[in-house]
Amino acid sequence: MRRRHVLTLAAAGAAATACSPPEEPAQPAPSGATGTPPPKPGAAGLVFPAGFAWGASTSAYQVEGAAAEDGRGPSVWDTFSHQAGHTRGGDTGDVAADHYHRVYEDLDLMRDLGLKSYRFSISWSRVLPQGRGALNAKGLDFYHRLVDGLLARGIVPVATLFHWDTPQALQDKGGWEQRDCAQWFADYAQQMFYSLGDKVATWLTLNEPKTVVSLGYTTGVHAPGRKDRRAADVAGHHLLLAHGLAVRALRATGRKGAIGAALNLSPVYPADGSPGAARQAAALDVEENRRWLDPVLLGKYPDGWLDGQPANAPVRAAVRPGDEAVIGERSDLLAVQYYNPAFVTAQGGRVTKHPTTQASWLEVYPDGLFDLLTRIKRDYGDIPLTITENGMPSTNDVRDDDRIAFLREHFAAAHRAIQAGVRLQGFHVWSLLDNFEWAEGYSQRWGLIRVDQDTRDRRRKASAEWYRGVIARNGPDA
Ligand code: IFM
């Protein structure tokens, strides 16, 4: 399989556009959106605080493509997606949205939307093909071009350091099951802080460690495809340790940037009024939320979480004295990713109480966002929050009125949370572009901007036009 993977990547590289785009000519001063004028400020609707960071998100493997160009090394997702049966239709991220070659076109689309903030991820194996050692200058140049292009357009870059694409070279050494991986990550992070830290003011360490643990290591439907609950818990601890070490690495550089983790969180509710359902909800809340929030924001696993593991569970030995203090190194912000709530019965089963989307796990419940944000403030204090993912897949191509309705309701819930005193500073829609949706391949379309699967041509959807107006008015219409 590995051999086949290497050959396929080489072929993809040869077929792709010959080389990375050149340096961009100087940009005019950032101005308003082009094309049809946005609605006038002051139209009836909700108004967010001045300076609210309206944004959009992507991640490297999902949009960049250019998988074997300019010295990029393979990641676990290259390996996994090239193995038969792992993704719908055998789709891979070899070309994805071809963002690597179309970066200036995409930057102009962001400017035309009026984005204030753009959250992207750095491909670890593009800048460090072996995961460690000497930097790949060509790979790093791409992120310089991206960040310079954002700044030239008045868009704030928010850089995620790990969005699931562990370098394959490190996976071959044990990946996240290996404690050393936490330090390898911190070393890579520090190289990024030194390389880009004079331009990037906000860093996110990990994207959704819970998903890596559940889908990558427990059910195996994501890379690296492990199906081992015991290994999953060890990997989860090492991911959290990596977060804390990276926070320390930023402080050690003396740079000013803000840093935090990006956690996907789900408010958990009892499915009925029974005491059993309440007990199950409290237990599930530990797995869904507290297991991640407590170590990062309070510096300790929830009481009973570690002790509750079986006596021979390897995670007990993986958590060493002092680790929790490292993980709890003070964060400057928390990035919240909200998609769905969880309703749990007295028997511990999950039930769905609201409509879902093409992604069957995405139960649409905007009030859950309000509950989540206010709960974080109540239980973890007044840490600045930014939403770094929220959105839905739509089958309606460019007439995606369902996405507009979804976002409108979630923006309203966010607004209510701000009114209730939550320090919410931004909202990044997932996603800017239609992209590679992991095991679902290209079958789900999450973008504000349509990407043609054959030509990779871009077209703004109705939701993009609507979002442009939201940003211009600093809030959604009523
Ligand atoms: O596409 C993903 C993203 O990479 C992580 N959060 C959830 C999104 C939708 O499934």
Side-chain angles (χ1 to χ4, degrees):
M1 258 321 153
R2 292 294 312 291
R3 205 172 112 76
R4 175 179 163 246
H5 161 67
V6 169
L7 290 173
T8 319
L9 275 186
T17 311
C19 58
S20 47
E23 294 301 317
E24 187 182 31
Q27 280 290 306
S31 60
T34 58
T36 39
K40 290 206 167 51
L46 301 173
V47 179
F48 278 65
F52 192 74
W54 296 105
S57 288
T58 63
S59 86
Y61 191 71
Q62 292 180 273
V63 298
E64 284 179 5
E69 272 181 69
D70 291 341
R72 177 183 179 276
S75 76
V76 292
W77 266 98
D78 295 280
T79 307
F80 186 79
S81 64
H82 277 268
Q83 290 167 345
H86 281 163
T87 63
R88 195 173 290 271
D91 290 345
T92 74
D94 286 0
V95 181
D98 201 24
H99 174 66
Y100 190 77
H101 298 116
R102 294 171 181 254
V103 60
Y104 297 129
E105 182 183 352
D106 291 340
L107 285 163
D108 285 346
L109 284 163
M110 292 185 223
R111 179 201 57 209
D112 293 349
L113 279 179
L115 290 193
K116 309 287 183 207
S117 179
Y118 175 59
R119 180 247 181 168
F120 61 97
S121 79
I122 296 172
S123 159
W124 185 348
S125 63
R126 193 181 290 290
V127 294
L128 286 167
Q130 296 300 310
R132 311 166 60 193
L135 282 167
N136 172 28
K138 285 188 170 176
L140 185 59
D141 278 353
F142 171 72
Y143 297 105
H144 277 294
R145 286 196 294 278
L146 173 62
V147 168
D148 290 345
L150 289 167
L151 295 174
R153 289 165 180 78
I155 303 169
V156 173
V158 176
T160 306
L161 289 157
F162 177 70
H163 198 121
W164 305 353
D165 44 359
T166 313
Q168 184 61 47
L170 300 184
Q171 185 64 29
D172 294 343
K173 294 181 194 301
W176 292 109
E177 289 170 66
Q178 163 76 253
R179 187 177 171 90
D180 289 343
C181 200
Q183 190 59 53
W184 298 333
F185 174 77
D187 294 344
Y188 145 65
Q190 193 164 58
Q191 285 173 288
M192 293 304 101
F193 302 146
Y194 279 124
S195 303
L196 295 164
D198 55 342
K199 304 174 189 173
V200 173
T202 304
W203 296 94
L204 303 178
T205 53
L206 311 174
N207 178 73
E208 300 188 2
K210 181 172 69 179
T211 310
V212 178
V213 165
S214 61
L215 301 187
Y217 284 84
T218 308
T219 62
V221 300
H222 277 190
R226 291 274 279 143
K227 294 179 187 164
D228 182 336
R229 176 65 208 252
R230 289 153 56 91
D233 286 339
V234 172
H237 177 64
H238 292 154
L239 280 158
L240 286 172
L241 188 61
H243 158 81
L245 290 172
V247 175
R248 287 195 171 174
L250 175 64
R251 309 289 184 226
T253 64
R255 305 236 170 184
K256 287 212 178 79
I259 191 164
L263 302 180
N264 54 323
L265 303 165
S266 290
V268 180
Y269 307 92
D272 56 50
S274 68
R279 267 196 305 279
Q280 293 287 356
L284 186 60
D285 181 48
V286 170
E287 282 304 321
E288 289 289 332
N289 303 307
R290 295 190 50 208
R291 174 185 172 183
W292 309 103
L293 285 165
D294 286 20
V296 168
L297 297 180
L298 305 178
K300 62 185 188 56
Y301 281 108
D303 285 344
W305 182 79
L306 196 56
D307 298 343
Q309 304 298 325
N312 61 355
V315 70
R316 282 173 169 269
V319 181
R320 298 192 188 163
D323 283 3
E324 287 166 293
V326 174
I327 299 167
E329 187 71 35
R330 186 185 57 76
S331 295
D332 303 298
L333 77 158
L334 177 71
V336 175
Q337 314 206 152
Y338 172 71
Y339 288 97
N340 60 307
F343 294 93
V344 61
T345 66
Q347 290 70 41
R350 300 270 285 259
V351 292
T352 302
K353 289 182 171 252
H354 303 91
T356 57
T357 69
Q358 185 193 13
S360 54
W361 53 269
L362 203 177
E363 178 174 357
V364 182
Y365 187 58
D367 284 349
L369 178 60
F370 174 85
D371 291 347
L372 175 62
L373 294 173
T374 49
R375 182 263 176 105
I376 294 171
K377 178 179 165 74
R378 188 188 68 227
D379 292 353
Y380 298 94
D382 230 0
I383 185 163
L385 304 179
T386 184
I387 293 168
T388 41
E389 286 189 28
N390 175 256
M392 64 168 279
S394 172
T395 53
N396 290 337
D397 200 41
V398 294
R399 302 269 14 121
D400 55 343
D401 294 342
D402 49 351
R403 179 176 286 116
I404 293 174
F406 178 99
L407 290 174
R408 182 188 276 116
E409 291 299 312
H410 285 83
F411 292 166
H415 190 264
R416 286 203 306 282
I418 293 171
Q419 303 290 98
V422 171
R423 269 173 91 187
L424 181 66
Q425 300 182 334
F427 197 123
H428 300 75
V429 173
W430 184 270
S431 178
L432 178 71
L433 302 168
D434 287 342
N435 59 45
F436 174 76
E437 174 57 17
W438 309 112
E440 298 300 334
Y442 298 97
S443 66
Q444 293 183 4
R445 301 185 144 252
W446 292 74
L448 296 164
I449 292 169
R450 179 183 194 277
V451 177
D452 186 282
Q453 265 162 357
D454 299 319
T455 63
R456 264 78 188 179
D457 286 349
R458 274 79 166 132
R459 185 171 164 199
R460 288 199 299 234
K461 301 182 188 178
S463 59
E465 300 294 349
W466 174 80
Y467 192 36
R468 195 158 69 90
V470 170
I471 297 171
R473 282 193 303 264
N474 197 23
D477 42 331

